[in-house]
Amino acid sequence: MRTGDALAHHSLTTGQRTNVTASPGGILHLSVTLADGAIQHFTRNPPGGPEDWRAGLQEGQHGACAFNEPVSATWGRGLDLIASRHTGGTK
């Protein structure tokens, strides 16, 4: 989980803007715009909790990097908090 936790930590500490959407199946998609303009994406399947977040695509000015890394519950709680502010709840 080191990579997923590092991406979540970086997003939570340097993120400037966030956006959350839910697919019809209930999958949460959280996008965090970082200070350098890159966008880090996270997803969580329903009915998931903080331990179910995954770090996904990171888009930057000069390209993108695809991740599929788990995020630990410790950092997932921060992602849950942000998601709940957009959706009114995460479950």
Side-chain angles (χ1 to χ4, degrees):
M1 285 191 219
R2 288 185 201 186
T3 301
D5 285 352
L7 292 167
H9 173 260
H10 184 66
S11 296
L12 290 168
T13 57
T14 68
Q16 310 258 320
R17 290 184 307 274
T18 58
N19 185 45
V20 176
T21 58
S23 69
I27 297 171
L28 284 179
H29 302 274
L30 169 62
S31 300
V32 181
T33 302
L34 306 174
D36 65 358
I39 300 172
Q40 177 64 55
H41 298 274
F42 297 91
T43 57
R44 193 190 77 192
N45 291 325
E51 67 282 356
D52 296 315
W53 285 99
R54 297 194 71 82
L57 183 68
Q58 186 177 85
E59 302 173 85
Q61 266 186 321
H62 305 291
C65 186
F67 296 98
N68 185 16
E69 295 291 330
V71 175
S72 69
T74 301
W75 292 105
R77 281 190 275 286
L79 300 176
D80 269 355
L81 179 62
I82 291 170
S84 70
R85 290 182 177 194
H86 284 275
T87 64
T90 57
K91 291 193 177 187

